[in-house]
mmCIF file of all heavy atoms in Angstrom:
data_model
loop_
_atom_site.group_PDB
_atom_site.id
_atom_site.type_symbol
_atom_site.label_atom_id
_atom_site.label_comp_id
_atom_site.label_asym_id
_atom_site.label_seq_id
_atom_site.Cartn_x
_atom_site.Cartn_y
_atom_site.Cartn_z
ATOM 1 N N ASP B 290 19.565 2.954 -11.456
ATOM 2 C CA ASP B 290 18.829 2.652 -12.682
ATOM 3 C C ASP B 290 18.621 3.879 -13.554
ATOM 4 O O ASP B 290 18.481 3.772 -14.767
ATOM 5 C CB ASP B 290 17.471 2.037 -12.339
ATOM 6 C CG ASP B 290 17.613 0.712 -11.620
ATOM 7 O OD1 ASP B 290 18.374 -0.143 -12.110
ATOM 8 O OD2 ASP B 290 16.986 0.538 -10.561
ATOM 9 N N LEU B 291 18.569 5.040 -12.942
ATOM 10 C CA LEU B 291 18.459 6.292 -13.683
ATOM 11 C C LEU B 291 18.836 7.443 -12.773
ATOM 12 O O LEU B 291 18.954 7.277 -11.554
ATOM 13 C CB LEU B 291 17.060 6.507 -14.253
ATOM 14 C CG LEU B 291 15.965 7.056 -13.326
ATOM 15 C CD1 LEU B 291 14.852 7.664 -14.161
ATOM 16 C CD2 LEU B 291 15.403 5.979 -12.424
ATOM 17 N N LEU B 292 19.026 8.623 -13.371
ATOM 18 C CA LEU B 292 19.388 9.824 -12.625
ATOM 19 C C LEU B 292 18.229 10.805 -12.633
ATOM 20 O O LEU B 292 17.488 10.915 -13.616
ATOM 21 C CB LEU B 292 20.624 10.481 -13.248
ATOM 22 C CG LEU B 292 21.903 9.652 -13.272
ATOM 23 C CD1 LEU B 292 23.008 10.399 -14.015
ATOM 24 C CD2 LEU B 292 22.358 9.316 -11.855
ATOM 25 N N ILE B 293 18.079 11.533 -11.532
ATOM 26 C CA ILE B 293 17.051 12.561 -11.410
ATOM 27 C C ILE B 293 17.648 13.775 -10.727
ATOM 28 O O ILE B 293 18.386 13.655 -9.738
ATOM 29 C CB ILE B 293 15.824 12.042 -10.619
ATOM 30 C CG1 ILE B 293 14.822 13.175 -10.301
ATOM 31 C CG2 ILE B 293 16.269 11.394 -9.314
ATOM 32 C CD1 ILE B 293 14.041 13.657 -11.453
ATOM 33 N N ARG B 294 17.347 14.947 -11.257
ATOM 34 C CA ARG B 294 17.656 16.208 -10.594
ATOM 35 C C ARG B 294 16.341 16.970 -10.509
ATOM 36 O O ARG B 294 15.782 17.384 -11.518
ATOM 37 C CB ARG B 294 18.714 17.016 -11.364
ATOM 38 C CG ARG B 294 20.069 16.336 -11.437
ATOM 39 C CD ARG B 294 20.702 16.187 -10.061
ATOM 40 N NE ARG B 294 22.034 15.596 -10.103
ATOM 41 C CZ ARG B 294 22.294 14.308 -9.925
ATOM 42 N NH1 ARG B 294 21.292 13.466 -9.705
ATOM 43 N NH2 ARG B 294 23.529 13.852 -9.968
ATOM 44 N N ALA B 295 15.837 17.103 -9.287
ATOM 45 C CA ALA B 295 14.499 17.637 -9.083
ATOM 46 C C ALA B 295 14.532 19.077 -8.608
ATOM 47 O O ALA B 295 15.496 19.521 -7.981
ATOM 48 C CB ALA B 295 13.751 16.778 -8.068
ATOM 49 N N LEU B 296 13.443 19.787 -8.905
ATOM 50 C CA LEU B 296 13.252 21.138 -8.395
ATOM 51 C C LEU B 296 12.065 21.142 -7.447
ATOM 52 O O LEU B 296 11.081 20.406 -7.649
ATOM 53 C CB LEU B 296 12.999 22.134 -9.520
ATOM 54 C CG LEU B 296 14.235 22.782 -10.163
ATOM 55 C CD1 LEU B 296 15.025 21.745 -10.958
ATOM 56 C CD2 LEU B 296 13.828 23.934 -11.064
ATOM 57 N N SER B 297 12.150 21.952 -6.400
ATOM 58 C CA SER B 297 11.064 22.097 -5.444
ATOM 59 C C SER B 297 10.839 23.578 -5.189
ATOM 60 O O SER B 297 11.740 24.276 -4.733
ATOM 61 C CB SER B 297 11.406 21.374 -4.141
ATOM 62 O OG SER B 297 10.388 21.535 -3.185
ATOM 63 N N VAL B 298 9.652 24.053 -5.515
ATOM 64 C CA VAL B 298 9.281 25.463 -5.367
ATOM 65 C C VAL B 298 10.333 26.351 -6.038
ATOM 66 O O VAL B 298 10.793 27.343 -5.473
ATOM 67 C CB VAL B 298 9.079 25.853 -3.892
ATOM 68 C CG1 VAL B 298 8.274 27.155 -3.774
ATOM 69 C CG2 VAL B 298 8.359 24.763 -3.113
ATOM 70 N N GLY B 299 10.747 25.962 -7.224
ATOM 71 C CA GLY B 299 11.656 26.770 -8.027
ATOM 72 C C GLY B 299 13.117 26.626 -7.688
ATOM 73 O O GLY B 299 13.966 27.228 -8.346
ATOM 74 N N GLN B 300 13.448 25.842 -6.665
ATOM 75 C CA GLN B 300 14.843 25.681 -6.260
ATOM 76 C C GLN B 300 15.328 24.264 -6.558
ATOM 77 O O GLN B 300 14.587 23.299 -6.346
ATOM 78 C CB GLN B 300 15.003 25.942 -4.760
ATOM 79 C CG GLN B 300 14.810 27.384 -4.346
ATOM 80 C CD GLN B 300 15.096 27.570 -2.855
ATOM 81 O OE1 GLN B 300 14.774 26.731 -2.032
ATOM 82 N NE2 GLN B 300 15.709 28.681 -2.513
ATOM 83 N N PRO B 301 16.570 24.109 -7.010
ATOM 84 C CA PRO B 301 17.127 22.768 -7.187
ATOM 85 C C PRO B 301 17.197 22.048 -5.850
ATOM 86 O O PRO B 301 17.727 22.582 -4.878
ATOM 87 C CB PRO B 301 18.532 23.032 -7.754
ATOM 88 C CG PRO B 301 18.475 24.421 -8.305
ATOM 89 C CD PRO B 301 17.506 25.167 -7.447
ATOM 90 N N HIS B 302 16.633 20.861 -5.796
ATOM 91 C CA HIS B 302 16.596 20.096 -4.542
ATOM 92 C C HIS B 302 17.942 19.432 -4.308
ATOM 93 O O HIS B 302 18.566 18.908 -5.223
ATOM 94 C CB HIS B 302 15.487 19.045 -4.608
ATOM 95 C CG HIS B 302 14.981 18.606 -3.277
ATOM 96 N ND1 HIS B 302 15.683 17.755 -2.457
ATOM 97 C CD2 HIS B 302 13.838 18.907 -2.604
ATOM 98 C CE1 HIS B 302 15.001 17.539 -1.349
ATOM 99 N NE2 HIS B 302 13.871 18.233 -1.402
ATOM 100 N N LYS B 303 18.382 19.443 -3.041
ATOM 101 C CA LYS B 303 19.673 18.838 -2.697
ATOM 102 C C LYS B 303 19.624 17.319 -2.754
ATOM 103 O O LYS B 303 20.668 16.670 -2.859
ATOM 104 C CB LYS B 303 20.107 19.274 -1.296
ATOM 105 C CG LYS B 303 20.238 20.787 -1.121
ATOM 106 C CD LYS B 303 21.323 21.375 -1.982
ATOM 107 C CE LYS B 303 21.485 22.869 -1.713
ATOM 108 N NZ LYS B 303 22.519 23.496 -2.588
ATOM 109 N N ALA B 304 18.419 16.745 -2.662
ATOM 110 C CA ALA B 304 18.268 15.293 -2.787
ATOM 111 C C ALA B 304 17.135 15.040 -3.788
ATOM 112 O O ALA B 304 17.264 15.367 -4.962
ATOM 113 C CB ALA B 304 17.983 14.672 -1.425
ATOM 114 N N VAL B 305 16.019 14.471 -3.332
ATOM 115 C CA VAL B 305 14.849 14.310 -4.204
ATOM 116 C C VAL B 305 13.605 14.275 -3.323
ATOM 117 O O VAL B 305 13.572 13.556 -2.316
ATOM 118 C CB VAL B 305 14.951 13.035 -5.077
ATOM 119 C CG1 VAL B 305 15.057 11.780 -4.224
ATOM 120 C CG2 VAL B 305 13.775 12.929 -6.036
ATOM 121 N N PRO B 306 12.574 15.061 -3.641
ATOM 122 C CA PRO B 306 11.314 14.941 -2.902
ATOM 123 C C PRO B 306 10.765 13.527 -3.059
ATOM 124 O O PRO B 306 10.822 12.944 -4.147
ATOM 125 C CB PRO B 306 10.411 15.977 -3.583
ATOM 126 C CG PRO B 306 11.357 16.952 -4.218
ATOM 127 C CD PRO B 306 12.533 16.134 -4.651
ATOM 128 N N ILE B 307 10.239 12.973 -1.977
ATOM 129 C CA ILE B 307 9.761 11.595 -2.015
ATOM 130 C C ILE B 307 8.636 11.415 -3.033
ATOM 131 O O ILE B 307 8.572 10.406 -3.741
ATOM 132 C CB ILE B 307 9.310 11.145 -0.613
ATOM 133 C CG1 ILE B 307 10.532 11.044 0.302
ATOM 134 C CG2 ILE B 307 8.596 9.805 -0.671
ATOM 135 C CD1 ILE B 307 11.609 10.112 -0.197
ATOM 136 N N THR B 308 7.741 12.385 -3.123
ATOM 137 C CA THR B 308 6.654 12.247 -4.090
ATOM 138 C C THR B 308 7.186 12.263 -5.526
ATOM 139 O O THR B 308 6.598 11.632 -6.409
ATOM 140 C CB THR B 308 5.605 13.354 -3.895
ATOM 141 O OG1 THR B 308 6.254 14.633 -3.870
ATOM 142 C CG2 THR B 308 4.859 13.162 -2.585
ATOM 143 N N VAL B 309 8.283 12.956 -5.764
ATOM 144 C CA VAL B 309 8.911 12.910 -7.093
ATOM 145 C C VAL B 309 9.481 11.511 -7.336
ATOM 146 O O VAL B 309 9.350 10.951 -8.430
ATOM 147 C CB VAL B 309 10.014 13.971 -7.223
ATOM 148 C CG1 VAL B 309 10.767 13.826 -8.536
ATOM 149 C CG2 VAL B 309 9.418 15.376 -7.111
ATOM 150 N N ALA B 310 10.095 10.932 -6.309
ATOM 151 C CA ALA B 310 10.634 9.580 -6.437
ATOM 152 C C ALA B 310 9.522 8.569 -6.697
ATOM 153 O O ALA B 310 9.688 7.632 -7.497
ATOM 154 C CB ALA B 310 11.408 9.214 -5.176
ATOM 155 N N LEU B 311 8.362 8.734 -6.040
ATOM 156 C CA LEU B 311 7.233 7.842 -6.273
ATOM 157 C C LEU B 311 6.766 7.949 -7.723
ATOM 158 O O LEU B 311 6.471 6.937 -8.377
ATOM 159 C CB LEU B 311 6.082 8.183 -5.329
ATOM 160 C CG LEU B 311 6.336 8.057 -3.825
ATOM 161 C CD1 LEU B 311 5.101 8.485 -3.049
ATOM 162 C CD2 LEU B 311 6.746 6.647 -3.450
ATOM 163 N N SER B 312 6.677 9.167 -8.226
ATOM 164 C CA SER B 312 6.256 9.367 -9.614
ATOM 165 C C SER B 312 7.268 8.790 -10.590
ATOM 166 O O SER B 312 6.897 8.242 -11.635
ATOM 167 C CB SER B 312 6.040 10.862 -9.888
ATOM 168 O OG SER B 312 4.889 11.345 -9.221
ATOM 169 N N ILE B 313 8.550 8.921 -10.255
ATOM 170 C CA ILE B 313 9.607 8.345 -11.092
ATOM 171 C C ILE B 313 9.443 6.829 -11.190
ATOM 172 O O ILE B 313 9.528 6.233 -12.267
ATOM 173 C CB ILE B 313 10.998 8.681 -10.515
ATOM 174 C CG1 ILE B 313 11.440 10.062 -10.973
ATOM 175 C CG2 ILE B 313 12.039 7.670 -10.920
ATOM 176 C CD1 ILE B 313 12.078 10.100 -12.340
ATOM 177 N N ALA B 314 9.214 6.178 -10.026
ATOM 178 C CA ALA B 314 9.074 4.724 -10.002
ATOM 179 C C ALA B 314 7.890 4.269 -10.842
ATOM 180 O O ALA B 314 7.963 3.245 -11.541
ATOM 181 C CB ALA B 314 8.928 4.233 -8.567
ATOM 182 N N ALA B 315 6.798 5.023 -10.785
ATOM 183 C CA ALA B 315 5.627 4.675 -11.587
ATOM 184 C C ALA B 315 5.859 4.965 -13.068
ATOM 185 O O ALA B 315 5.535 4.143 -13.936
ATOM 186 C CB ALA B 315 4.410 5.439 -11.083
ATOM 187 N N ALA B 316 6.443 6.121 -13.373
ATOM 188 C CA ALA B 316 6.680 6.493 -14.773
ATOM 189 C C ALA B 316 7.647 5.538 -15.458
ATOM 190 O O ALA B 316 7.570 5.324 -16.678
ATOM 191 C CB ALA B 316 7.216 7.922 -14.841
ATOM 192 N N ALA B 317 8.553 4.953 -14.677
ATOM 193 C CA ALA B 317 9.496 3.998 -15.249
ATOM 194 C C ALA B 317 8.787 2.757 -15.779
ATOM 195 O O ALA B 317 9.338 2.025 -16.626
ATOM 196 C CB ALA B 317 10.535 3.595 -14.203
ATOM 197 N N ARG B 318 7.555 2.522 -15.295
ATOM 198 C CA ARG B 318 6.778 1.361 -15.729
ATOM 199 C C ARG B 318 5.756 1.725 -16.800
ATOM 200 O O ARG B 318 4.963 0.853 -17.213
ATOM 201 C CB ARG B 318 6.062 0.766 -14.522
ATOM 202 C CG ARG B 318 6.990 0.340 -13.374
ATOM 203 C CD ARG B 318 7.577 -1.022 -13.581
ATOM 204 N NE ARG B 318 6.553 -2.045 -13.603
ATOM 205 C CZ ARG B 318 6.041 -2.634 -12.513
ATOM 206 N NH1 ARG B 318 6.512 -2.284 -11.313
ATOM 207 N NH2 ARG B 318 5.116 -3.567 -12.616
ATOM 208 N N VAL B 319 5.737 2.975 -17.230
ATOM 209 C CA VAL B 319 4.787 3.416 -18.261
ATOM 210 C C VAL B 319 5.484 3.393 -19.617
ATOM 211 O O VAL B 319 6.373 4.213 -19.877
ATOM 212 C CB VAL B 319 4.259 4.836 -17.968
ATOM 213 C CG1 VAL B 319 3.362 5.323 -19.110
ATOM 214 C CG2 VAL B 319 3.505 4.860 -16.644
ATOM 215 N N PRO B 320 5.129 2.461 -20.507
ATOM 216 C CA PRO B 320 5.786 2.390 -21.824
ATOM 217 C C PRO B 320 5.654 3.706 -22.589
ATOM 218 O O PRO B 320 4.591 4.335 -22.615
ATOM 219 C CB PRO B 320 5.015 1.264 -22.538
ATOM 220 C CG PRO B 320 4.417 0.452 -21.436
ATOM 221 C CD PRO B 320 4.099 1.422 -20.345
ATOM 222 N N GLY B 321 6.752 4.140 -23.170
ATOM 223 C CA GLY B 321 6.746 5.353 -23.973
ATOM 224 C C GLY B 321 7.045 6.619 -23.215
ATOM 225 O O GLY B 321 7.229 7.681 -23.829
ATOM 226 N N SER B 322 7.103 6.557 -21.878
ATOM 227 C CA SER B 322 7.404 7.767 -21.108
ATOM 228 C C SER B 322 8.878 8.124 -21.237
ATOM 229 O O SER B 322 9.715 7.266 -21.544
ATOM 230 C CB SER B 322 7.045 7.568 -19.632
ATOM 231 O OG SER B 322 7.994 6.725 -18.999
ATOM 232 N N VAL B 323 9.214 9.394 -20.982
ATOM 233 C CA VAL B 323 10.615 9.798 -21.068
ATOM 234 C C VAL B 323 11.439 9.125 -19.973
ATOM 235 O O VAL B 323 12.644 8.928 -20.120
ATOM 236 C CB VAL B 323 10.764 11.343 -20.987
ATOM 237 C CG1 VAL B 323 10.056 12.016 -22.139
ATOM 238 C CG2 VAL B 323 10.285 11.886 -19.649
ATOM 239 N N VAL B 324 10.774 8.737 -18.871
ATOM 240 C CA VAL B 324 11.481 8.056 -17.790
ATOM 241 C C VAL B 324 11.799 6.622 -18.186
ATOM 242 O O VAL B 324 12.929 6.144 -18.002
ATOM 243 C CB VAL B 324 10.658 8.089 -16.492
ATOM 244 C CG1 VAL B 324 11.367 7.330 -15.382
ATOM 245 C CG2 VAL B 324 10.405 9.532 -16.061
ATOM 246 N N ALA B 325 10.816 5.910 -18.734
ATOM 247 C CA ALA B 325 11.028 4.519 -19.139
ATOM 248 C C ALA B 325 12.161 4.409 -20.145
ATOM 249 O O ALA B 325 12.924 3.430 -20.138
ATOM 250 C CB ALA B 325 9.745 3.938 -19.713
ATOM 251 N N ALA B 326 12.306 5.413 -20.998
ATOM 252 C CA ALA B 326 13.362 5.389 -22.012
ATOM 253 C C ALA B 326 14.748 5.519 -21.399
ATOM 254 O O ALA B 326 15.748 5.183 -22.051
ATOM 255 C CB ALA B 326 13.131 6.518 -23.017
ATOM 256 N N CYS B 327 14.827 5.987 -20.150
ATOM 257 C CA CYS B 327 16.125 6.191 -19.499
ATOM 258 C C CYS B 327 16.540 5.017 -18.614
ATOM 259 O O CYS B 327 17.698 4.932 -18.200
ATOM 260 C CB CYS B 327 16.084 7.454 -18.637
ATOM 261 S SG CYS B 327 15.824 8.985 -19.549
ATOM 262 N N VAL B 328 15.592 4.131 -18.297
ATOM 263 C CA VAL B 328 15.864 3.049 -17.357
ATOM 264 C C VAL B 328 16.422 1.841 -18.084
ATOM 265 O O VAL B 328 15.872 1.401 -19.089
ATOM 266 C CB VAL B 328 14.582 2.662 -16.589
ATOM 267 C CG1 VAL B 328 14.838 1.495 -15.643
ATOM 268 C CG2 VAL B 328 14.049 3.855 -15.807
ATOM 269 N N GLN B 329 17.515 1.318 -17.558
ATOM 270 C CA GLN B 329 18.105 0.129 -18.160
ATOM 271 C C GLN B 329 17.208 -1.083 -17.909
ATOM 272 O O GLN B 329 16.408 -1.117 -16.986
ATOM 273 C CB GLN B 329 19.503 -0.111 -17.601
ATOM 274 C CG GLN B 329 19.583 -0.149 -16.077
ATOM 275 C CD GLN B 329 21.010 -0.113 -15.580
ATOM 276 O OE1 GLN B 329 21.936 0.085 -16.345
ATOM 277 N NE2 GLN B 329 21.193 -0.332 -14.289
ATOM 278 N N GLN B 330 17.320 -2.089 -18.768
ATOM 279 C CA GLN B 330 16.428 -3.232 -18.735
ATOM 280 C C GLN B 330 16.540 -4.025 -17.442
ATOM 281 O O GLN B 330 15.541 -4.409 -16.849
ATOM 282 C CB GLN B 330 16.722 -4.151 -19.931
ATOM 283 C CG GLN B 330 16.391 -3.528 -21.280
ATOM 284 C CD GLN B 330 14.897 -3.257 -21.413
ATOM 285 O OE1 GLN B 330 14.074 -4.094 -21.085
ATOM 286 N NE2 GLN B 330 14.552 -2.064 -21.888
ATOM 287 N N GLU B 331 17.759 -4.285 -16.984
ATOM 288 C CA GLU B 331 17.965 -5.082 -15.778
ATOM 289 C C GLU B 331 18.168 -4.150 -14.590
ATOM 290 O O GLU B 331 19.121 -3.370 -14.551
ATOM 291 C CB GLU B 331 19.176 -5.991 -15.944
ATOM 292 C CG GLU B 331 19.132 -7.160 -14.999
ATOM 293 C CD GLU B 331 19.919 -8.361 -15.508
ATOM 294 O OE1 GLU B 331 20.003 -8.579 -16.723
ATOM 295 O OE2 GLU B 331 20.459 -9.041 -14.643
ATOM 296 N N LEU B 332 17.284 -4.238 -13.625
ATOM 297 C CA LEU B 332 17.328 -3.323 -12.495
ATOM 298 C C LEU B 332 18.446 -3.683 -11.528
ATOM 299 O O LEU B 332 18.785 -4.854 -11.343
ATOM 300 C CB LEU B 332 15.991 -3.329 -11.750
ATOM 301 C CG LEU B 332 14.761 -2.886 -12.552
ATOM 302 C CD1 LEU B 332 13.514 -2.968 -11.676
ATOM 303 C CD2 LEU B 332 14.931 -1.486 -13.111
ATOM 304 N N VAL B 333 19.001 -2.645 -10.899
ATOM 305 C CA VAL B 333 20.046 -2.855 -9.898
ATOM 306 C C VAL B 333 19.502 -3.674 -8.739
ATOM 307 O O VAL B 333 20.171 -4.587 -8.221
ATOM 308 C CB VAL B 333 20.586 -1.504 -9.399
ATOM 309 C CG1 VAL B 333 21.493 -1.681 -8.196
ATOM 310 C CG2 VAL B 333 21.306 -0.760 -10.521
ATOM 311 N N ASP B 334 18.275 -3.365 -8.300
ATOM 312 C CA ASP B 334 17.621 -4.086 -7.212
ATOM 313 C C ASP B 334 16.213 -4.442 -7.689
ATOM 314 O O ASP B 334 15.410 -3.543 -7.985
ATOM 315 C CB ASP B 334 17.556 -3.215 -5.958
ATOM 316 C CG ASP B 334 17.059 -3.970 -4.734
ATOM 317 O OD1 ASP B 334 16.226 -4.876 -4.892
ATOM 318 O OD2 ASP B 334 17.507 -3.644 -3.621
ATOM 319 N N PRO B 335 15.885 -5.729 -7.781
ATOM 320 C CA PRO B 335 14.566 -6.114 -8.297
ATOM 321 C C PRO B 335 13.403 -5.631 -7.441
ATOM 322 O O PRO B 335 12.252 -5.678 -7.872
ATOM 323 C CB PRO B 335 14.635 -7.653 -8.321
ATOM 324 C CG PRO B 335 15.771 -8.026 -7.441
ATOM 325 C CD PRO B 335 16.728 -6.888 -7.464
ATOM 326 N N ALA B 336 13.694 -5.121 -6.225
ATOM 327 C CA ALA B 336 12.622 -4.635 -5.349
ATOM 328 C C ALA B 336 12.034 -3.321 -5.846
ATOM 329 O O ALA B 336 10.955 -2.914 -5.392
ATOM 330 C CB ALA B 336 13.134 -4.472 -3.925
#
């Protein structure tokens, strides 16, 4: 549904910190956020 490249303690993360993923999921539901603007309308997985 969207792409993320996260940093952890100043270093590019090889995957994604789980707490960053949690924040991404919430921000995707916040109208007007930079994350919501990147998410396509129809989700790959409705879960």
Side-chain angles (χ1 to χ4, degrees):
D290 297 311
L291 81 159
L292 299 176
I293 172 73
R294 296 296 183 264
L296 272 69
S297 178
V298 198
Q300 290 185 322
H302 204 284
K303 302 296 184 182
V305 60
I307 292 303
T308 51
V309 174
L311 299 178
S312 289
I313 276 277
R318 302 277 297 275
V319 175
S322 74
V323 298
V324 178
C327 296
V328 178
Q329 53 191 8
Q330 294 296 315
E331 202 155 328
L332 299 179
V333 170
D334 188 327

